[in-house]
Each structure stands twice: as C-alpha cells, then as structure tokens.
Amino acid sequence: MNISRTLRLLSLLTAMTVFSAAGMAGAAAPAPAAEKAPAVLWIDGATQTAVSTAEMLDGLKEYQVIFFGEFHDSQPIHDAELDVLKGLHDLHGDKLVLSMEMFERDVQTTMDDYLAGTLSEELFLSQSRPWPQYMTAYKPMVEFAKEKGIPVLTGNIPRRMAAAYAKAGSLNGIAEADWSYLPKVHKAGSEAYRAKFAATMAAMNDMPGAMKVPEAMVQPMFMAQCLKDDAMAESIADYLDTHGAAVVYHVVGNFHSEGHLGVVEKLHGLRPDLKIAVINAVHFGFLSNVGVYAPVAMFCVSFPIIGW
C-alpha cells in the first residue's frame, strides 16, 4: 500500500471484556446481571455497535502485523488474546507467527526447542524465565502455537539489560556478553510517548504506597523502555525481512502500543510499508449505546498513516 497518498486513521474495532470493578476509583456501581456484558463483547470503533467475533476477525484479515496491547493482570483479556490467535490461524494458516513481549531475545533457541518437542516443559520453564502468571495467561497461547506449528518470536530485550541501562544511564552499563542482543537501531521514542511515560511516572508518585520515581530517573527509565520497544520492533521487522509473506501477531502490554506509540511507532519507522492493526485494552464505564457495564475494554484502530 502507498501510504503517501492520504492521511488515514480508521477506527475499526473496539472490544470489551468485563471483570470485577472492585478497587477502581469512580467505577460505576455493579449492573444488574441482565445488563452485564458477556465475557467478551466486540464493538465496532467507528459506529460503537456490537459485531460478532467473525466480523472482528474479518476486519483484521488484510493486516500483516496485528498488535494486541493487553492488561497483564486481566484473565478475560488473555482469553480474548487466545481467541484472536486461533482466529488468525484459521485465516492465515502456516503464515502466522506469534510474537511475545513476555519472552526475551536470549531464550529464542529455548523456545524453538520446546516448540519442536526436543525440550521438556520442565526444562523450558527453568530456562526461559516465564512471567509469574505464565501458566494461566500465556501457556495456552504457547501450547496452541506448539500444536499448530506456529513459530514464536522471543523478541524483548533481556530484563537484566534494561535494568542495567536504566541504572547506568548509558549502554556502557550493559555487560559485553549481552551486546549481541542489543537492537541495531536504538533511540528515544516520540515526544508524545515520552510525555505519556513521564505522566505515568508522576501519577505513580501520587499513589499511596507506590514506588516513588525521582525526577532524575525518569529519562533513564524512559530510554530503557525505548530499548525494549526497539528490540521488539526489530525482531518483528527482521523476521518479516526474511519471511515476507508472514503475518505477525504481537502480544504486548498496552503501554507499549497504545496510541500507536512504543513498539508500534518503532516498527513503523523500520518498515513504513507494513499494514498494521492495533488492539488495545482501555478502561470504560457504562456504555449506554450498548446497554452494558464494561470497566475494561479493548480498542482497535488501523493504519498506516503519515504525518508522524
């Protein structure tokens, strides 16, 4: 697609999942049972009307990279991610690739061996540093990929590298043995992304009991965040450079993809030719046009666009 012809920002889909609103400041009171949404309700972002899962997937079929920006602690969202993975496999078959923030560059061989059946699950878990909620949140996707022969990209920067970078304030803080995992291109994200990051850090400082972030640490932490984004974007771009017909489904925390920032803008910079769709988890209250309470939802917009 020639993206220089027009400036396009097309809202395709909004999806909603419902979970307990307990502890959410200002959340609407619980609705009567009859008004609660089903486990997942997909809403067209342009019209704000409900669509079926099949219609939602049909809206994604022309895209080569699909981001799903999740809330890490929401099981309904993890269930929806698996549904999207299965639907994309039905659409694209052996062209589909799963890419995950939750695994890091230095465990790609471990992942490959597990998917190939040459490594036991016990050894896989001991060597791949899975996230605490792996068994309920991410194992179903990995197991589906294993069953169907779907490659899984472990493209994130190793956590020890991001931590060392943030602490030292420069890449000199990273051990020489880890340099091979650095992205070839690393730079700060957009000003919009930095403003979002700084606002989030400031909000954390105002929360009772939350980690306090000194002002002097905001920029080093932001650059460490961008290092993760650069690594994930490069992993996707490199794979597509050698597998041009592939369709990549990237599961990531919504901060890394919301508003087309983070990994999305980095991938767009590396491969502006790609047609990308973004699904993000967002907060909602009562949606009167649908008639349900939905404290948590997913929002999907598509691009490419110009005018970054």
Side-chain angles (χ1 to χ4, degrees), residues 10-15 41-52 55-56 289-290 299-300:
L10 173 64
S11 292
L12 280 184
L13 304 167
T14 303
L41 178 64
W42 300 97
I43 304 296
D44 185 297
T47 64
Q48 291 293 292
T49 56
V51 296
S52 67
E55 289 170 322
M56 178 274 297
N289 57 313
V290 182
F299 178 66
C300 178

Side-chain angles (χ1 to χ4, degrees), residues 164 230 232 291:
D230 285 323
M232 287 185 276

Side-chain angles (χ1 to χ4, degrees), residues 6 50 52 63 81 83 86 94 111 126-127 129 146 148 179 194 202 204 206 231 242 258 261 275 299 301-303:
T6 58
S52 67
Y63 292 87
E81 286 171 331
D83 288 342
K86 292 178 177 179
D94 60 8
M111 176 65 77
S126 69
Q127 296 175 14
R129 303 188 300 275
K146 184 179 182 181
K148 299 298 183 181
W179 287 356
R194 190 196 185 284
M204 288 179 62
D206 293 336
T242 55
E258 186 178 28
L261 302 176
K275 193 172 183 184
F299 178 66
V301 295
S302 73
F303 83 111

Side-chain angles (χ1 to χ4, degrees), residues 40 66 107 120 130 140 167 174 188-189 192 201 204 207 215:
V40 173
I66 299 96
V107 303
S120 69
K167 182 178 180 180
I174 294 174
M201 294 298 102
M204 288 179 62
M207 294 174 60
E215 179 61 32

Side-chain angles (χ1 to χ4, degrees), residues 70 72 101-104 129-134 138 159:
E70 65 165 38
H72 298 318
E101 175 196 0
M102 300 79 200
F103 292 98
E104 299 159 7
R129 303 188 300 275
W131 286 18
Q133 69 274 46
Y134 172 79
Y138 308 115
R159 281 164 280 184

